[in-house]
């Protein structure tokens, strides 16, 4: 079955601490994976995608096919990183599957 | 900048009412989507459209229908609203399937 799992509903870290938001997927084909972010009172927006291998706002995510994971990482969390983060898997055609989301709270 | 605009931020409707949620995009995107967003469940696809008058069911189409008469507009219709349809509804559009631009959301409460 095609599935995206974000095991943590809430992640709370102190400012300046490293942060890792976990994402695991289940998909038999070649996955395309994304992270979306929703800041308070803002619309959901694309943060990054695995094929571009870029760093956005200090965040990176590496696709690990062996572990079927696409964890989002940032070495030093900032208060403005507090938001809801969704991992998403594109499975072909028009289908994108979203995880349940992780709320990141960065404490001062 | 892509603009996806949903007609209402908040709606309160009564059980049994027919409800229309409107979405307009200004970037000539072929693809448009309706999702509902619920805590602990993430985003679930209700319907999508890849062209005018074309539509496909998503994962949870029951109780919903859609209309796309013009390229820029995609409407979600709740034929007979029920309390379990209380949710946040997100519209999105895309040129390339894999990057969707979202509207600000409509929080619908059915009483």
């Amino acid at each position: 079955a095609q599935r995206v799992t974000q095991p943590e509903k809430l992640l709370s870290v102190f400012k300046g601490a490293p942060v890792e938001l976990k994402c695991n997927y289940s998909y038999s084909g070649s996955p395309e994976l994304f992270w979306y972010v929703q800041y308070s009172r803002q619309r959901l927006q694309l943060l990054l995608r695995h094929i571009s291998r870029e760093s956005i706002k200090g965040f990176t995510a590496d696709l690990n096919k062996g572990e079927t994971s696409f964890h989002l990482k940032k070495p030093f969390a900032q208060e403005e990183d507090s938001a809801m983060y969704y991992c998403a898997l594109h499975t072909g055609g028009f289908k994108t599957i979203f995880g349940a989301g992780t709320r990141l709270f960065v404490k001062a | 900048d892509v603009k996806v605009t949903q007609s209402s931020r908040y709606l309160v409707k009564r059980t049994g009412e027919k409800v229309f949620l409107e979405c307009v995009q200004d970037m000539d995107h072929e693809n448009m989507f309706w999702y509902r967003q619920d805590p602990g469940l993430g985003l679930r696809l209700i319907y999508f459209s890849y062209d005018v008058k074309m539509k496909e069911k998503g994962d949870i189409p029951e109780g919903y229908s859609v209309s796309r008469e013009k390229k820029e507009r995609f409407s979600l219709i709740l034929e007979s609203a029920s309390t379990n349809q209380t949710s946040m509804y997100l519209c999105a559009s895309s040129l390339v399937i894999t990057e969707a631009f979202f509207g600000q959301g409509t929080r619908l409460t059915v009483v």
Side-chain angles (χ1 to χ4, degrees):
Chain A
Q2 300 158 353
R3 187 166 48 243
V4 175
T5 304
Q6 294 180 249
E8 301 136 331
K9 288 188 178 179
L10 174 67
L11 185 62
S12 182
V13 301
F14 283 103
K15 177 182 171 181
V19 62
E20 180 179 68
L21 289 86
K22 291 185 167 52
C23 172
N24 288 92
Y25 67 91
S26 172
Y27 182 54
S28 56
S30 185
E32 284 189 72
L33 285 144
F34 307 83
W35 278 98
Y36 282 82
V37 61
Q38 188 169 27
Y39 300 102
S40 179
R41 298 189 185 86
Q42 294 187 28
R43 61 190 67 200
L44 192 63
Q45 59 187 289
L46 180 66
L47 179 63
L48 56 77
R49 67 193 84 189
H50 89 270
I51 55 172
S52 55
R53 302 184 66 82
E54 57 197 343
S55 172
I56 303 292
K57 299 186 179 185
F59 283 99
T60 58
D62 290 318
L63 176 61
N64 185 323
K65 291 187 178 180
E67 296 183 0
T68 60
S69 68
F70 187 57
H71 303 328
L72 183 67
K73 300 177 184 179
K74 185 169 182 177
F76 306 103
Q78 303 299 314
E79 288 181 75
E80 55 266 29
D81 297 328
S82 294
M84 192 75 175
Y85 291 81
Y86 291 96
C87 182
L89 165 69
H90 180 65
T91 60
F94 298 92
K95 198 77 179 289
T96 296
I97 299 170
F98 287 81
T102 297
R103 182 165 297 283
L104 175 64
F105 181 54
V106 181
K107 297 176 284 191
Chain B
D1 252 7
V2 176
K3 207 64 170 295
V4 180
T5 304
Q6 295 180 229
S7 54
S8 306
R9 287 298 300 271
Y10 301 95
L11 273 180
V12 180
K13 296 292 181 181
R14 294 194 181 277
T15 301
E17 275 193 77
K18 190 168 186 175
V19 181
F20 293 86
L21 302 184
E22 307 286 347
C23 176
V24 177
Q25 51 97 1
D26 66 358
M27 283 302 290
D28 204 34
H29 284 172
E30 304 289 340
N31 310 302
M32 296 189 75
F33 307 82
W34 275 106
Y35 290 90
R36 64 179 281 177
Q37 182 182 29
D38 298 290
L41 295 176
L43 276 69
R44 293 178 293 167
L45 181 64
I46 305 171
Y47 267 97
F48 62 85
S49 169
Y50 51 91
D51 201 353
V52 174
K53 297 192 187 293
M54 306 303 288
K55 59 187 179 185
E56 292 286 342
K57 292 180 180 179
D59 297 316
I60 52 165
E62 296 78 20
Y64 304 94
S65 62
V66 290
S67 172
R68 189 148 180 221
E69 296 296 320
K70 293 185 178 181
K71 192 175 187 180
E72 67 270 18
R73 187 179 295 271
F74 192 35
S75 302
L76 180 69
I77 303 155
L78 285 66
E79 298 293 342
S80 177
S82 63
T83 53
N84 63 12
Q85 292 178 310
T86 291
S87 186
M88 174 69 84
Y89 289 87
L90 299 182
C91 175
S93 75
S94 73
L95 186 59
V96 179
I97 291 295
T98 52
E99 179 171 1
F101 295 87
F102 285 85
Q104 76 278 26
T106 297
R107 184 166 293 283
L108 172 67
T109 302
V110 183
V111 297

